[in-house]
Amino acid sequence: MKYHVQVFVSLKPSILDPQGRTVERALSHLGHENVSGVRVGKLVEMVMEGERAAVEAQARALAETVLSNPVMESFRVEVRELAGA
């Protein structure tokens, strides 16, 4: 079975996010005064093949060891079966 895997990586709340702060200031200058608390992260998408439990375990291992820095970042993994696969 093939799966569409998404790994969402973001800075932990205790870590300052200068990129998010820059985006927040830019939005304010563009007239969006009601926007605050902007945090910028990354999304990694991939297609993986195998048994669902094994794919989920592998995706979590990749997220923890390769795709994120566990000292500064947290992650969330979503696995969805590919339609017609």
Side-chain angles (χ1 to χ4, degrees):
M1 188 67 54
K2 286 188 179 182
Y3 297 92
H4 179 241
V5 178
Q6 293 180 307
V7 180
F8 300 88
V9 181
S10 58
L11 290 170
K12 291 182 177 180
S14 61
I15 304 294
L16 293 177
D17 184 356
Q19 188 176 10
R21 183 68 184 120
T22 299
V23 170
E24 186 175 317
R25 279 195 306 268
L27 292 173
S28 178
H29 291 310
L30 292 170
H32 303 283
E33 302 287 334
N34 63 329
V35 177
S36 64
V38 176
R39 306 282 289 178
V40 175
K42 61 186 171 186
L43 166 63
V44 179
E45 294 183 289
M46 58 193 135
V47 174
M48 298 177 71
E49 197 169 338
E51 186 246 324
R52 184 180 184 101
V55 166
E56 287 177 351
Q58 183 182 12
R60 289 188 192 292
L62 287 170
E64 189 170 357
T65 60
V66 178
L67 302 176
S68 73
N69 175 349
V71 173
M72 297 175 50
E73 297 173 316
S74 58
F75 64 87
R76 184 179 87 246
V77 176
E78 291 184 8
V79 178
R80 291 190 204 109
E81 188 175 321
L82 277 176

